[in-house]
Amino acid sequence: MTREEAGAEDGSASVRPSARRERAGPTRWLERHAIGLLGAATVVVLAVVFYYPVLTVFADAVRVGGEWTGEVVGEVLTDPFYFGLLAPIFGGEFGAVGEVAAESPLGLFGFTAYQALLSTVASVALGLPGAYVLSRYEFPGRRTLRSLTILPFVMPSIMVAIGFVAFFGTNGPLNDLLALVGLGPVNLLFTLEAIVVAHAFYNAPLVARVTTAAWESVDARMVETARSLGANPWYAFRTVLAPQLLPAVLTGALLTFVFTFMSFPIVLALGGFQLATVEVWVYSLVQELEYAEAATLAVAETVVSLALTYAYLRYEARQSGGGRAANPPPRKRLVPDSPSPLDALERLGVAAYAVVVAVVFVGPIASMVAESVTGPSGFTLQYYEFLVRRQVEGASFQTKPGVAVRNSVLFGVATLLVALPMGVTVSVLTARGGRKTRLADAAAMAPLAVSGVVVGLGMLRGLVFGVEVWGHRLQVTGPVAIVAAHGVAAYPFVVRNVAPLLGGVDRSVVESARALGATRVRALLDVELPLVASGVAAGAAFAFAISIGEFDSTVILATGSSSYTMPVAVERYIGNRTLGPATAMGTVLLFVTSLSFVVVDRLGGRWEV
């Protein structure tokens, strides 16, 4: 007897399929439309917490006191303090160009671009040798070291600033080392050199990471062919190998310029307002409630950043079609058995580079940790005891370290829950190809081109203060506003980790699942995401780490509330001119950030941008 016949006897056969259809109906409908619903939800979230705040900033620039006016924009554009010798050109006063060029040729925007250019040159100069060593040499721990190169890029920038203050300060280890050889002392703090070196610390690993991947993908056969035709090593490198590496170097340089052009906490901590960039000046104006002027500067900065990002996307799109088979040359041993004079000279250069790495990368972090346990009389735990006392006895308006740690972890988890679905959804739309792919790419990269201060300022002027919607006042404040800002900042990194892997999944596997009746979302959950699990884990790691270290928008949104995070707590301790507690808080921040990477590493994440 069949199941249908058995059902016919008790009259249930005609009921069960119908009941199953009724139960399966909503689920099936949800599965069929899940991608579209998630896409719509992503658009709504972006519209509310990113595009609306950014447009609010745009509106603040031309709407003053409830009236539309271009007066503030005109004043800013024609002010030599902001635009240097471009100001009289914008104002049509061409005769004043010479006078302004003699007094203030660069202006605030020119100086911001100048320090970004210097920082880019320093980052490339420091990152390229690292890429060469990692891609051309074989030595114990090379893969681990290659993985760790991405750590400085995701470390909280305020912590990097703390490390530099501790290492390059008047009483720091650098001056102690110089004193041993009869040199110094030097004071790099509050100088342009300190800002450039700190930016190189932050972005040289990014250049090294991108270039290492390119160096490991070169076609060595082309070089061998050139050598067989009589080319010397330098000519073969310049005409064959360098063109293969140039796209990666330019990509790293362009991203570095964009990031350093919008740099905020490093400039604020190491340069102060006497070396202020556009981002720092916007923050200062917000503190003084000069919203219209701050908004005008923020809009101008965003236009420049978006133009650079668009150039990056166009350049990347042109390079994407030039794939080639990877056939890198074999790696060399770091210590050869019988080195030639040229080999010995090259290893000497590697040793010198290792010293530079120790000074620039290891020194600031190690000195920050050492500073946290060093007092006037030697070893001490008084700064950690200060943190404990502040947590136990501190007043409600004071910054408590325990609250900062709790907020950072909770905000990090919440950011993960927001950024991961958004990033995966955008990645799915990106992997479909066609014109929608380019639109999704642009949407994914847009938050990277807008500074956290602009997003934070937009949220402060809009959702935090409240918006009238159909007679009701809508407000997004405190932790919700901070998590929203963190989610917007983090989800593009999820996209950058997941989308390339999704694009490489064999479509026949997905089509086979669809042919067997799987819905689009079921095929995604059961087939595609397991195949790209490492990218999802890496994107999750970046989302969590970026939330932990995010400072720009948090310092604005946490003002006057108990929603401050660890980077904000570090900055407040610096503001009190008590470097000891700040270094102790920075060490706690370093421990929490490192622990998050260890956890994700055990989940199988990889550290690819």
Side-chain angles (χ1 to χ4, degrees), residues 439-506:
L439 293 176
D441 267 343
M445 290 293 289
L448 294 181
V450 181
S451 74
V453 170
V454 172
V455 176
L457 174 62
M459 296 192 70
L460 187 66
R461 297 286 294 152
L463 297 175
V464 174
F465 286 172
V467 179
E468 292 290 340
V469 180
W470 294 311
H472 299 280
R473 193 165 188 81
L474 175 63
Q475 279 186 293
V476 180
T477 59
V480 176
I482 293 174
V483 169
H486 288 189
V488 168
Y491 94 91
F493 290 87
V494 179
V495 176
R496 302 301 297 175
N497 278 277
V498 177
L501 298 182
L502 275 180
V505 171
D506 187 354

Side-chain angles (χ1 to χ4, degrees), residues 213-214 216-221 323-329:
E216 291 175 340
S217 302
V218 299
D219 190 350
R221 292 170 298 188
R324 58 179 178 272
N327 184 29

